[in-house]
Amino acid sequence: MVTVTAEWEFLAHRLREWMVLRSIAVNDPWGPEDFLASSDWCQRTAAQVLTSSAALRLLADRGRTRRVRAAAGLRLAQQRR
């Protein structure tokens, strides 16, 4: 799929972000540096839908925006209840 989308930079980038989200969601190995380098969209989506405490903790501590950090922190607090 990556070779087919390689000529469209945005599409290839978004596909890589989806793969990071998928890896986290299905508990496959993922790199925190790739996750932190992802777009605001990816991090906002992750903060809303992922259940991985490690990913949410990373976003709560080092997410790109205040909005991402707050959303991730809220999800972590909800998980603890």
Side-chain angles (χ1 to χ4, degrees), residues 6-70:
E7 65 187 73
W8 293 290
E9 185 177 328
F10 174 79
L11 188 56
H13 180 72
R14 189 54 54 98
L15 181 59
R16 284 190 301 274
E17 289 181 336
W18 273 111
M19 293 306 296
V20 170
L21 289 174
R22 182 193 173 283
S23 294
I24 296 168
V26 299
N27 228 9
D28 280 348
W30 53 279
E33 57 284 337
D34 292 333
F35 191 38
L36 290 174
S38 63
S39 68
D40 292 348
W41 167 85
C42 182
Q43 289 189 9
R44 278 194 314 270
T45 301
Q48 293 170 358
V49 301
L50 291 180
T51 58
S52 164
S53 346
L56 290 172
R57 201 171 310 112
L58 183 63
L59 286 179
D61 293 341
R62 298 175 50 199
R64 290 174 61 102
T65 65
R66 191 174 354 156
R67 181 178 176 185
V68 167
R69 292 188 300 272

